[in-house]
Amino acid sequence: MVNRRAVVLGPGGVVGTAWSLGVVEGLRRNRIELADADLLVGASAGADGVPVHRVVTASTAMPGMAAPVTIGAHRYIDGAPRNGSNADLAEGMSTLILIEPLAHVFPTTVPSSVRRVARIVPDPVAIETFGPDLDDRSSWPAVFAAGLRQGKAAADEVRAVWQ
């Protein structure tokens, strides 16, 4: 069986995006490059060959709140209103890295085809750092740091699933 790998970045507003970027960077610093996935689904993205930070940025483009993000010839908006993290789009993949900033609010069901999964969710310290306003840009540095810490801590688990 071919190992088809997917990464799903769940929704989380400005604060969740900062946390997700921290997680991705923490993994990258441990030589885990999620952009090598066969399928990359952000709450609004899924563009092949696009740097992860651009895909995650597109996830903050909520209709009526933030302008669409242009990647190549396409404009992207937040896909969270469709189905939360949109993890169902990973159906058919055998390996899934699921990064869910709002798992404590909107848990996600893993597609039935997935045999190996690493799920990264905010720990209590990160949730406290998020604060009550998911659009509070002033919390970015602290929330990014929380995600970075969690990404580094999750590296061994993710590596075991990813390889």
Side-chain angles (χ1 to χ4, degrees), residues 4 9 40 64 112 140:
R4 304 235 336 136
L9 304 167
L40 181 59
S112 62
W140 258 71

Side-chain angles (χ1 to χ4, degrees), residues 12 17 24-26 29 33-35 42 47 49 52 55 65 79 82 91-92 101 115 134-135 157:
T17 298
V24 170
E25 178 61 15
R29 289 183 185 181
E33 186 54 63
L34 299 181
V52 173
V55 172
M65 296 177 67
R82 177 190 167 271
E91 186 62 54
R115 300 291 173 244
L134 295 179
D135 290 321
E157 175 191 359

Side-chain angles (χ1 to χ4, degrees), residues 2-115:
V2 175
N3 183 24
R4 304 235 336 136
R5 302 181 306 177
V7 173
V8 173
L9 304 167
V14 170
V15 170
T17 298
W19 180 82
S20 293
L21 283 169
V23 169
V24 170
E25 178 61 15
L27 294 171
R28 190 192 65 76
R29 289 183 185 181
N30 281 278
R31 295 186 163 87
I32 300 170
E33 186 54 63
L34 299 181
D36 292 338
D38 298 299
L39 175 68
L40 181 59
V41 177
S44 64
D48 293 335
V50 175
V52 173
H53 75 277
R54 292 291 295 153
V55 172
V56 175
T57 301
S59 294
T60 65
M62 180 62 75
M65 296 177 67
V69 173
T70 301
I71 300 175
H74 301 282
R75 293 170 54 96
Y76 293 90
I77 62 169
D78 193 338
R82 177 190 167 271
N83 185 15
S85 74
N86 292 308
D88 62 306
L89 296 176
E91 186 62 54
M93 299 287 130
S94 53
T95 299
L96 174 62
I97 307 302
L98 182 55
I99 300 173
E100 295 182 275
L102 296 182
H104 58 292
V105 180
F106 306 109
T108 298
T109 302
V110 173
S112 62
S113 65
V114 173
R115 300 291 173 244

